[in-house]
Amino acid sequence: VDVTLVDRDNYHLFQPLLYQVATSVLDPSQIAYPIRAILRRCRNAKFKMAAVTGIDLDGRRVLTSQGDIAYDRLVIAAGSVTNYFGIKGLDRRSFALKNLGQADLLRTRILEHFERAAAESDPEERRRLLSFAIVGGGPTGVEFAGALSELIHHVLSRDFPEIDVTQVRIVLADTQDHVLTPFARPLRRVAQRALEAKGVVLRLGVMVKDVDRAGLQLADGGRLDAATVVWMGGVRAAPLADALNSERGAQGRIRVDARSLRLIGRDDAYAIGDIAQLGDGSSPLPMLAPVAIQGGQHVAARIAAELSGQSVAAFSYRDKGTMATIGRHAAVAQVGRIRVSGFVGWLAWLFVHLILLVGFRSRIIVLINWAWDYFFRDRPVRLITVPDPKQPGEG
Ligand SMILES: Cc1cc2nc3c(=O)[nH]c(=O)nc-3n(C[C@H](O)[C@H](O)[C@H](O)COP(=O)(O)OP(=O)(O)OC[C@H]3O[C@@H](n4cnc5c(N)ncnc54)[C@H](O)[C@@H]3O)c2cc1C
């Protein structure tokens, strides 16, 4: 086989640590790795940097910003984008965390607002600048809330002696009456207590209806005002799914046959990862990395088997468990019936995320950064790199 990998970015991104770029722990280059370097040893694989604009399934052509690509077999793995659930203006007025640019922008906003608060004489305005609302109590929202609190209380409190950090308000909101829905109830409670111990205010059981310059309007008539709104309310299939004439499931995901991962009614096209929904959608697999990785491995094995006339077993997902950290010494993890939290959970979280990073150099540098942060409570990447006057919530 000859493989062509098409991506609009020239790097692979380890999304689980994006929140650490947004909270000054890591530099973007530590969680992103050049695709060409990953493929260097695969002699029959080539990379093409291009944006895919459409797919002609009948004509077997991928339409890209750099010209069309003909194929015999197609694997769609375009991932997901932030889901704003149709709330008007939310994309402009809130920060998201799905790519490196957004992580840089969010870090810049946090640091810029501290600089502005330090220079502000009006106490009301200072309090407003230091208010953060995070919507979405899933692992991403919880991890970001914990890391933001630690950045402010451990690091910025020393950088900004003119700011009283007790004035900072971090609110984490969710429609559910708990955080971390995928986890068992006792672990959710552990996470909630850990967040509260870090000064994060939980607003649970609330639904966001609208957004304006001052913050969020809630469905129950209440408000959640904050100068910085971070939207971590969910994801939906990448827009490429909209350009396909193929069956769709929840969150706009492309429906695929649960056994073969083929698009419904096609024998030459597959979809895997966040963009795909297996089966009829009665119990869809979560949009998580292990699902994407196992899907990729299965489709590769299936294509190889088909070409050599062999049969291959149906796809079956092996749940490798799930984990989230709330910060220093605090994490929750569950693998089947095994549940871990606290210091042991935190060590497990560190270990797993370290080994999953691509590249030995990245692992070493990330380990050094984590150790530096742990022992000296110091985060090196306190840099304002995107001074854009038209940041979310400002216009
Ligand atoms: C902040 C965050 C934290 C997360 N934490 C965890 C975690 O702790 N554990 C876990 O298991 N999962 C986590 N996830 C989810 C996990 O990252 C995804 O499930 C996984 O990356 C999905 O893999 P994928 O290959 O389907 O998509 P992606 O990894 O998103 O890759 C899609 C690729 O397609 C490219 N692309 C998209 N559209 C086009 C186009 N039109 N043209 C060209 N290229 C295109 C993109 O540039 C991207 O490189 C997290 C996600 C986020 C955002």
Side-chain angles (χ1 to χ4, degrees), residues 274-293:
D274 284 4
I275 203 167
Q277 179 186 285
L278 276 60
D280 60 6
S282 48
S283 54
L285 291 177
M287 291 153 108
L288 286 176
V291 179
I293 293 166

Side-chain angles (χ1 to χ4, degrees), residues 161-385:
E162 56 277 69
I163 291 179
D164 170 10
V165 287
T166 60
Q167 290 189 341
V168 174
R169 190 171 152 81
I170 304 172
V171 180
L172 178 65
D174 199 289
T175 46
Q176 306 287 329
D177 61 1
H178 53 257
V179 297
L180 295 182
T181 297
F183 290 79
R185 221 169 276 177
L187 293 183
R188 293 178 193 161
R189 279 198 292 271
V190 169
Q192 285 181 205
R193 279 199 296 270
L195 284 167
E196 283 165 346
K198 289 184 184 304
V200 176
V201 177
L202 298 176
R203 287 281 298 269
L204 300 174
V206 296
M207 169 97 79
V208 172
K209 200 176 105 192
D210 216 343
V211 61
D212 53 41
R213 286 200 65 184
L216 297 162
Q217 176 72 50
L218 305 176
D220 62 6
R223 284 198 61 87
L224 179 47
D225 286 338
T228 303
V229 173
V230 187
W231 183 258
M232 293 171 164
V235 290
R236 64 180 301 279
L240 187 57
D242 305 334
L244 279 183
N245 188 14
S246 190
E247 279 187 45
R248 311 277 291 284
Q251 292 109 23
R253 294 160 85 182
I254 302 166
R255 274 196 58 206
V256 295
D257 172 56
R259 294 169 59 83
S260 65
L261 309 188
R262 285 194 185 106
L263 267 59
I264 306 295
R266 297 263 160 198
D267 59 8
D268 57 357
Y270 305 80
I272 51 174
D274 284 4
I275 203 167
Q277 179 186 285
L278 276 60
D280 60 6
S282 48
S283 54
L285 291 177
M287 291 153 108
L288 286 176
V291 179
I293 293 166
Q294 290 179 37
Q297 287 165 340
H298 177 83
V299 169
R302 179 169 285 274
I303 292 173
E306 279 170 7
L307 293 179
S308 55
Q310 291 166 346
S311 62
V312 65
F315 175 71
S316 88
Y317 175 61
R318 217 177 111 231
D319 184 2
K320 293 197 168 172
T322 179
M323 44 177 46
T325 178
I326 307 96
R328 186 177 281 252
H329 300 181
V332 290
Q334 70 181 36
V335 186
R337 288 173 172 217
I338 304 170
R339 295 170 192 169
V340 190
S341 62
F343 186 65
V344 177
W346 181 69
L347 283 182
W349 184 94
L350 290 177
F351 178 72
V352 166
H353 284 76
L354 206 58
I355 57 166
L356 288 176
L357 272 171
V358 179
F360 184 67
R361 179 183 166 275
S362 301
R363 282 184 210 136
I364 295 291
I365 297 177
V366 166
L367 185 62
I368 292 171
N369 273 351
W370 285 352
W372 194 268
D373 181 26
Y374 183 78
F375 290 113
F376 302 110
R377 295 187 181 236
D378 186 24
R379 297 186 180 182
V381 205
R382 300 198 296 282
L383 310 173
I384 295 177
T385 52

Side-chain angles (χ1 to χ4, degrees), residues 7-9 15-16 50 52 77-79 97-98 140 273-274 287-290 292:
D7 202 303
R8 62 178 165 225
D9 294 326
Q15 295 176 23
V52 176
L97 200 56
K98 269 299 281 179
T140 309
D274 284 4
M287 291 153 108
L288 286 176

